[in-house]
Amino acid sequence: AQSVTQPDIHITVSEGASLELRCNYSYGATPYLFWYVQSPGQGLQLLLKYFSGDTLVQGIKGFEAEFKRSQSSFNLRKPSVHWSDAAEYFCAVGPNSGYALNFGKGTSLLVTP
Amino acid sequence: DAGVIQSPRHEVTEMGQEVTLRCKPISGHNSLFWYRQTMMRGLELLIYFNNNVPIDDSGMPEDRFSAKMPNASFSTLKIQPSEPRDSAVYFCASSFSGGASYEQYFGPGTRLTVT
């Protein structure tokens, strides 16, 4: 069955420190992978996506993610975190049941001064 | 582009009342998704449409929930009768499902409170 696991429910980092959010997936074919961010009271915004090609993808707001097929992972990274990055981050994989995506349960990021 | 539009943004209603949530997808998108988000259950897919046809409604909680998409630019999610446990944020998302594109674009959500 297709699934997405985000092992970390909460992560706290200091402003200026590097960040890595983990995402593991289970998928029977070549997956389409996504990272979304949700700020408080807002909808989900697409950060980046991977379909094929270069396994290191760049997104908005200085984020990047690396697809590692051997590890079934698609971890999100940022070299230097800003206070405005505090939000909920969701990993998603698809397609599922046609055109739907499977979303992970999210990782809540807290940024301390 | 105006993005996905949802209305109302907030809805407070009493138990037993009918609630209708509305969504206008991004022009040109042919798939539309309804999600529910709660602290306990996270983000749940309720139903999705492709070319105005319901494809998967297995996430709809029960018969009190119904969704329609009468045309490519409008969808509704109705709860009748509403119950306190329906309190959640309901998101609509749309995508262009064709070729190699599956990313979904989310609306701002409707926060529903049932008292």
Side-chain angles (χ1 to χ4, degrees), chain A residues 79-95:
Chain A
S80 178
V81 170
H82 187 262
W83 63 266
S84 60
D85 293 324
E88 189 89 12
Y89 291 81
F90 294 90
C91 180
V93 64

Side-chain angles (χ1 to χ4, degrees), chain A residues 32 34 36 38 41-44 46 49 51 90 95 97-101 103, chain B residues 9 31 33 35 37 43 45 48 50 56 91 97 100 102-104 106-108:
Chain A
Y32 290 68
F34 307 84
Y36 285 83
Q38 184 182 27
Q42 305 294 317
L44 279 70
L46 180 66
K49 60 189 178 186
F51 292 159
F90 294 90
S97 181
Y99 303 108
L101 300 178
F103 282 85
Chain B
R9 292 294 310 277
S31 288
F33 307 82
Y35 292 89
Q37 186 177 42
L43 192 65
L45 176 64
Y48 88 89
N50 182 249
D56 185 353
F91 289 104
S97 299
Y102 294 95
E103 63 262 36
Q104 298 177 14
F106 283 73

Side-chain angles (χ1 to χ4, degrees), chain B residues 62-113:
Chain B
E62 48 197 274
D63 292 346
R64 297 186 296 106
F65 285 69
S66 62
K68 294 182 179 180
M69 191 164 187
N71 57 62
S73 59
F74 184 66
S75 177
T76 59
L77 178 68
K78 186 176 294 186
I79 308 173
Q80 166 63 19
S82 58
E83 297 182 2
R85 59 193 169 118
D86 301 331
S87 297
V89 180
Y90 290 81
F91 289 104
C92 175
S94 70
S95 71
F96 174 70
S97 299
S101 176
Y102 294 95
E103 63 262 36
Q104 298 177 14
Y105 295 85
F106 283 73
T110 295
R111 181 174 296 277
L112 173 65
T113 303

Side-chain angles (χ1 to χ4, degrees), chain A residues 48-110:
Chain A
L48 49 76
K49 60 189 178 186
Y50 170 79
F51 292 159
S52 64
D54 192 347
T55 56
L56 183 64
V57 293
Q58 303 296 320
I60 62 172
K61 305 185 180 188
F63 285 91
E64 65 178 26
E66 186 171 13
F67 170 58
K68 292 186 178 180
R69 184 186 299 274
S70 61
Q71 299 178 19
S72 297
S73 69
F74 188 57
N75 294 349
L76 182 71
R77 302 194 294 248
K78 186 169 184 178
S80 178
V81 170
H82 187 262
W83 63 266
S84 60
D85 293 324
E88 189 89 12
Y89 291 81
F90 294 90
C91 180
V93 64
N96 177 41
S97 181
Y99 303 108
L101 300 178
N102 271 349
F103 282 85
K105 295 194 179 299
T107 297
S108 178
L109 174 65
L110 176 65

